[in-house]
Amino acid sequence: MKKKEMIAMLLAGGQGSRLGVLTIKKAKPAVAFGGKYTIIDFPMSNCINSGDDTVGVLTQYEPLSLNRHIGIGIPWDLDRRSGGVTILAPHVRGEQGEWYTGTANAIFQNIDYLNAHNPEYILILSGDHVYKMDYSKMLDFHKKKRCDATIAVREVPMEEANRFGIMNTRKDDSVYDFEEKPQSPKSNLASMGIYIFSWAKLRAALIADDKIHSDSDFGKHIIPMMLAEGQVMYAYRFNDYWKDVGAIDSYWVANMDLIKTLPDFNLYDDFWKIYTDADHQPPQYTGADADVRASLLSEGCEIYGSVYNSVLGPDVFVDEGAVVRDSIIMQNCRIGRNTLVERAIIDEDSRVGEGVVIGQGENIPNEAKPQIYSTGITVIGDNSSVPDGVSLGKNCVIYGITALEEYESRCLESGKSILHGEGGLV
Amino acid sequence: MKAIGVILAGGNHGHLHELTELRATSAMPVGGCYRALDFSLSSMSNSGINKVAVFTQYNSRSLLDHLSSAKWWDLGRKQGGLFIFSPYLTSKNSFWFRGTADSIFQNITYLKRSNEPYVVIASGNSIYKMDFNEVIHYHYRKDADVTIVYRQAPDGEDLRKYGVMEFDAFERVTDLEEKPLEPQSDLISMGIYVISRTLLIKLLETIQSEERYDLVKDIFIRYRKKLRIYGYRFNGYWRAINSVKSYFDCNMDFLRKEVRDLFTKNEPFIETKPKDEPPGKYNMGAQAKDALVGSGSIINGYIEHSVLFRKVFTSENSVIRNSVVMEGSYIGNGCVVENAILDKEVVLSDGKQICGAPDNPIIIAKSAVL
């Protein structure tokens, strides 16, 4: 096998439970973002744009959607004879199999994959963030500083530092201490969950830690252990756009960020394109009476109504007289005639009937899951439907095909939910 | 029944003026994201034809760029796949392709090294979607030597630009005239043919020895009584790009829902080389009425009844009406574009007015800066 200098291992197994019904049928990295993309497209595109053509994608939770999306890696030019993309799912080994129990454990369980390539360096990524980063520059830094491990960090406001893994560094950015969510943080350099390790060093650490912790984790175990052994570790500062889109509100805000006339995050960069799997890419159509402003429309949309301040995925149909405002509508949804959608997230392949009103009323947090749905955003899951002529309040959640009888006097008040099938479990 | 494909993409239509100065007609951008060739190529691939040859001659650079990978049409194969034939020099031969039949003859090994019984021949500048299996089955049922796909000419079409056909009651061709001065019917050839591979090889070798080089004139017309030539009637959407007007109208057709549905919503889709542009961005000042806008475009102005390709930027207070604007063009502040075709990467500085006549759109050549 042709030797690769660096291999990327992309941790894409997380559920992302704070995204509520959006992650019932798919892992968080498979959630759509910015209209046509999915979250995992960002680290995947960063890899190929950085010149890293060997990527292992570690899946666990609901992998079907991710597997289908990634395929053999064609959209990212990762269909290679040597290297390319490999989906690494938990598997049976010897007598028994086990799930990935921690971030480092997942890498440890794929040690054979890495040994086969035997790279000099290994890049650990997560599939949870939206950002553009040149990993080759981070690798240059890693080599220049003669590191055993390099950890990408960003400065966060000091008062928020207790929510992150914090790197305590010396003046030259060498790390002497790592604290996970410290009560009284000594620094505001937060780990981004992006690491480069010299593979020989990491391999030794993974093997050693596996004997101690069955749920081996980079932040909790591997990094403290390497620091205790006196290995050379540096913080690599990254100050460009980087967003965790792990909760309903932050997900909504990050999408809305893209609408600004000059967005902080530029998708229109010819030399750092973000690639995604698209069946085909026909243009979008706006009808003679359509009014579309301050919005993103993806390929194949057909708009006959009005769309303001919203992000629409591919093949969304908005019928005459409908108004969509401050909302995210994903691939292949249909919004019926004279329907009003305000501050809503509607997941793929869903139907909203005619004359429906969504997002009006008092801002009452969701009764069942106030910690997930409390910012006034109503969420409709994938393959769901809302019948003609009903109204939904704020922080409502719909999952599955709903019928008129389920809406008491044609109304679902703020904070209420109708959940069918797997929706009831989340 | 298995077939191999031949797409004749060598033509360069003088009638398209500046638009085909730098590209073959089959590389003309169509419908906001396609090139004309995509329609024949996708129809072949979608009909299960896994071995397709594209014959090019004039200005093939943009066509070759478009075909740099065959995987978008599922033709990146070990067995079969996509072949591209351009004219080449040998010690015995220093000709360009002297005609459509000659272009195939010069690459006759493509036919000889295949074992599929049929050859489907199509042109690269027609906009349509067809299941060639149905044509091949028809050809087989009729026990035809050649099947020519034909249709009724659209109302008002100048028949003198087409091959005009006459049939008997069984749809056997009784007469075929190329670009006749006095057309005898309104049934026109679509330039799509099915013929058995061995018969095609024999005919090509025969006419080559007589120094004849044209598929239509020297085979189909000359042999129209000798061979059993049948017509297969096609009633779906079809347009040949053979004039500025037909090119303009064809793009405007995509503003009709049934045309968009045919090509972009109903499977099988027409495939093209992906460009991975971000979603279209409509800013506060945008007003897009009856408009197709390609991905990666940023809209700040007014657009009405127009087709914009990818990565077009329109500034505030600009107006685009009844026009086709190709990839990468920039429309400055306060510009007015009406009844126009802007080729790729045109830059209009602030306040420019580009206005053609409704039935005679003005053409702005590729990369022009005004």
Side-chain angles (χ1 to χ4, degrees):
Chain A
M1 204 175 290
K2 196 172 146 202
K3 191 173 164 75
K4 300 286 179 179
E5 187 182 32
M6 182 162 80
I7 287 184
M9 295 292 267
L10 212 168
L11 299 162
Q15 178 187 357
S17 55
R18 287 179 304 143
L19 284 171
V21 292
L22 301 181
T23 54
I24 286 179
K25 285 284 196 182
K26 50 186 174 292
K28 177 172 158 188
V31 171
F33 182 82
K36 63 184 286 194
Y37 304 104
T38 61
I39 296 171
I40 201 172
D41 292 336
F42 294 90
M44 293 273 286
S45 300
N46 286 341
C47 281
I48 195 68
N49 288 334
S50 303
D52 186 349
D53 65 10
T54 309
V55 181
V57 178
L58 296 98
T59 61
Q60 176 150 289
Y61 175 80
E62 286 288 348
L64 178 63
S65 167
L66 267 183
N67 290 350
R68 202 171 47 208
H69 183 71
I70 292 168
I72 59 166
I74 287 176
W76 303 272
D77 273 346
L78 285 170
D79 50 326
R80 301 295 176 109
R81 276 187 304 119
S82 155
V85 67
T86 308
I87 303 261
L88 301 166
H91 49 276
V92 175
R93 294 182 304 159
E95 292 281 288
Q96 62 195 62
E98 56 177 316
W99 298 109
Y100 297 149
T101 54
T103 50
N105 174 268
I107 305 297
F108 173 77
Q109 290 202 42
N110 288 290
I111 213 159
D112 291 343
Y113 170 77
L114 291 161
N115 282 339
H117 285 283
N118 196 25
E120 288 296 315
Y121 307 101
I122 165 168
L123 169 68
I124 309 286
L125 302 170
S126 78
D128 295 356
H129 300 103
V130 172
Y131 63 109
K132 295 193 285 191
M133 181 173 180
D134 189 343
Y135 305 131
S136 71
K137 288 185 182 162
M138 183 168 165
L139 179 61
D140 291 343
F141 176 90
H142 180 85
K143 289 185 206 164
K144 191 171 142 206
K145 298 284 186 186
R146 298 174 188 280
C147 292
D148 299 313
T150 301
I151 298 161
V153 298
R154 57 187 292 109
E155 290 174 39
V156 296
M158 207 63 194
E159 59 274 17
E160 288 176 24
N162 58 3
R163 288 167 37 206
F164 294 90
I166 294 296
M167 298 289 151
N168 297 321
T169 58
R170 302 179 191 92
K171 268 200 180 129
D172 65 348
D173 280 347
S174 63
V175 179
Y176 66 88
D177 187 28
F178 173 83
E179 291 179 288
E180 187 75 45
K181 297 183 180 150
Q183 289 283 314
S184 43
K186 295 195 271 294
S187 132
N188 67 340
L189 292 181
S191 166
M192 296 162 64
I194 299 169
Y195 315 104
I196 289 178
F197 292 98
S198 297
W199 170 233
K201 296 288 169 70
L202 179 65
R203 181 169 51 195
L206 290 174
I207 292 168
D209 194 60
D210 182 59
K211 298 195 172 76
I212 309 165
H213 303 105
S214 63
D215 60 344
S216 188
D217 182 273
F218 282 107
K220 284 193 209 117
H221 310 127
I222 299 293
I223 288 168
M225 178 166 113
M226 290 178 79
L227 278 174
E229 286 171 1
Q231 303 208 27
V232 182
M233 200 175 293
Y234 271 79
Y236 174 77
R237 287 170 189 261
F238 180 80
N239 292 318
D240 287 346
Y241 189 93
W242 181 82
K243 273 279 184 315
D244 180 1
V245 289
I248 291 289
D249 190 49
S250 63
Y251 174 79
W252 186 83
V253 169
N255 272 280
M256 292 300 142
D257 276 352
L258 300 171
I259 293 169
K260 293 181 196 160
T261 307
L262 285 175
D264 301 331
F265 188 58
N266 181 13
L267 292 170
Y268 295 76
D269 182 348
D270 267 349
F271 296 97
W272 204 273
K273 276 193 178 175
I274 306 300
Y275 302 98
T276 190
D277 173 39
D279 286 348
H280 66 312
Q281 310 181 337
Q284 57 277 359
Y285 178 77
T286 45
D289 299 319
D291 192 12
V292 179
R293 290 164 201 250
S295 295
L296 295 186
L297 301 190
S298 304
E299 286 111 344
C301 279
E302 298 257 329
I303 312 297
Y304 297 91
S306 303
V307 178
Y308 306 115
N309 214 40
S310 296
V311 175
L312 272 57
D315 294 317
V316 171
F317 182 92
V318 177
D319 212 337
E320 285 166 21
V323 178
V324 175
R325 191 178 275 126
D326 302 327
S327 296
I328 300 163
I329 302 184
M330 300 185 204
Q331 181 156 5
N332 204 26
C333 285
R334 203 181 167 91
I335 309 298
R337 201 175 288 248
N338 300 326
T339 283
L340 170 67
V341 178
E342 241 180 55
R343 263 180 94 84
I345 300 173
I346 305 180
D347 203 349
E348 343 188 303
D349 302 312
S350 290
R351 299 279 175 273
V352 177
E354 297 183 2
V356 174
V357 174
I358 295 176
Q360 301 288 305
E362 260 187 280
N363 189 9
I364 301 167
N366 189 268
E367 284 177 359
K369 300 272 178 186
Q371 70 282 19
I372 297 180
Y373 314 100
S374 64
T375 52
I377 297 164
T378 282
V379 184
I380 297 174
D382 64 287
N383 290 288
S384 302
S385 79
V386 175
D388 293 350
V390 299
S391 71
L392 280 72
K394 292 181 172 152
N395 299 313
C396 292
V397 186
I398 301 282
Y399 191 82
I401 308 292
T402 62
L404 192 57
E405 304 86 76
E406 298 172 78
Y407 295 80
E408 208 175 305
S409 53
R410 296 181 164 259
C411 181
L412 188 69
E413 282 169 32
S414 292
K416 305 271 188 197
S417 312
I418 303 177
L419 305 170
H420 293 297
E422 297 93 335
L425 305 173
V426 173
Chain B
M1 277 168 282
K2 284 187 173 175
I4 57 173
V6 165
I7 299 180
L8 301 171
N12 182 338
H13 243 283
H15 300 302
L16 288 168
H17 307 297
E18 297 94 320
L19 297 173
T20 47
E21 218 157 75
L22 296 169
R23 60 170 80 85
T25 307
S26 49
M28 284 300 289
V30 172
C33 68
Y34 305 102
R35 290 192 184 255
L37 178 75
D38 291 334
F39 294 80
S40 281
L41 200 51
S42 299
S43 287
M44 290 206 175
S45 167
N46 292 334
S47 303
I49 298 174
N50 316 333
K51 185 172 176 184
V52 178
V54 174
F55 290 81
T56 74
Q57 175 141 293
Y58 295 101
N59 300 332
S60 54
R61 189 207 59 83
S62 62
L63 198 64
L64 295 181
D65 176 7
H66 189 64
L67 298 175
S68 61
S69 171
K71 61 183 161 189
W72 318 120
W73 299 272
D74 266 346
L75 289 169
R77 307 288 187 100
K78 279 190 297 171
Q79 300 294 326
L82 183 69
F83 293 71
I84 299 171
F85 295 120
S86 309
Y88 52 87
L89 293 174
T90 67
S91 55
K92 295 193 198 103
N93 174 355
S94 61
F95 305 119
W96 291 87
F97 293 153
R98 288 164 293 189
T100 45
D102 187 46
S103 67
I104 306 174
F105 176 80
Q106 288 196 30
N107 297 286
I108 203 156
T109 41
Y110 169 71
L111 300 179
K112 289 187 169 171
R113 284 192 188 155
S114 299
N115 71 345
E116 289 81 350
Y118 298 105
V119 183
V120 176
I121 303 173
S123 88
N125 62 0
S126 295
I127 308 306
Y128 65 104
K129 182 157 111 180
M130 194 177 294
D131 183 353
F132 292 123
N133 288 312
E134 289 180 16
V135 189
I136 297 167
H137 276 117
Y138 176 90
H139 178 88
Y140 176 76
R141 279 203 314 275
K142 290 282 186 184
D143 195 21
D145 292 319
V146 178
T147 297
I148 300 179
V149 183
Y150 75 96
R151 64 172 295 122
Q152 191 162 21
D155 285 345
E157 192 72 29
D158 183 2
L159 295 169
R160 289 173 301 178
K161 286 188 298 194
Y162 297 96
V164 175
M165 304 169 74
E166 289 173 71
F167 302 95
D168 68 10
F170 305 97
E171 288 195 283
R172 181 161 173 184
V173 174
T174 54
D175 207 359
L176 167 60
E177 278 191 285
E178 180 77 345
K179 302 189 172 81
L181 286 172
E182 288 178 19
Q184 299 297 310
S185 85
D186 64 345
L187 303 174
I188 56 175
S189 161
M190 292 169 57
I192 296 168
Y193 318 102
V194 173
I195 181 170
S196 93
R197 187 178 53 85
T198 46
L199 176 62
L200 180 61
I201 292 170
K202 204 175 96 196
L203 289 166
L204 288 173
E205 287 176 340
T206 307
I207 66 162
Q208 187 78 23
S209 65
E210 300 164 350
E211 298 188 8
R212 297 177 194 272
Y213 306 114
D214 193 74
L215 203 56
V216 176
K217 197 172 75 198
D218 300 322
I219 294 183
F220 301 141
I221 293 183
R222 199 149 181 273
Y223 286 80
R224 68 191 180 282
K225 310 276 175 181
K226 199 169 175 205
L227 294 174
R228 290 167 57 83
I229 302 183
Y230 278 83
Y232 173 91
R233 190 181 177 110
F234 180 76
N235 296 317
Y237 179 89
W238 178 79
R239 233 183 230 282
I241 294 179
N242 51 20
S243 65
V244 172
K245 185 172 184 326
S246 65
Y247 174 71
F248 186 80
D249 290 348
C250 179
N251 278 289
M252 290 299 162
D253 284 344
F254 278 80
L255 295 173
R256 280 158 44 199
K257 183 153 177 55
E258 70 271 19
V259 175
R260 284 199 307 280
D261 284 353
L262 171 68
F263 293 120
T264 72
K265 301 287 181 205
N266 302 337
E267 292 193 72
F269 301 130
I270 302 301
E271 300 294 342
T272 190
K273 180 183 177 179
K275 291 278 182 83
D276 297 285
E277 297 300 338
K281 190 158 185 281
Y282 297 69
N283 285 332
M284 266 323 283
Q287 279 199 72
K289 311 283 185 194
D290 190 21
L292 264 183
V293 175
S295 49
S297 291
I298 299 178
I299 308 300
N300 292 292
Y302 180 87
I303 305 168
E304 185 188 329
H305 195 64
S306 294
V307 176
L308 275 62
F309 285 70
R310 296 168 170 133
K311 280 173 70 176
V312 173
F313 184 96
T314 81
S315 309
E316 278 98 10
N317 306 314
S318 62
V319 175
I320 299 174
R321 215 179 260 129
N322 198 40
S323 295
V324 174
V325 181
M326 291 190 214
E327 186 172 328
S329 287
Y330 173 93
I331 313 295
N333 209 315
C335 287
V336 176
V337 176
E338 202 166 338
N339 307 318
I341 298 173
L342 269 53
D343 205 327
K344 284 169 83 170
E345 288 148 24
V346 166
V347 175
L348 297 187
S349 51
D350 293 355
K352 279 280 171 309
Q353 304 222 350
I354 307 289
C355 297
D359 53 350
N360 186 21
I362 184 172
I363 298 171
I364 306 297
K366 186 172 174 181
S367 304
V369 179
L370 299 175

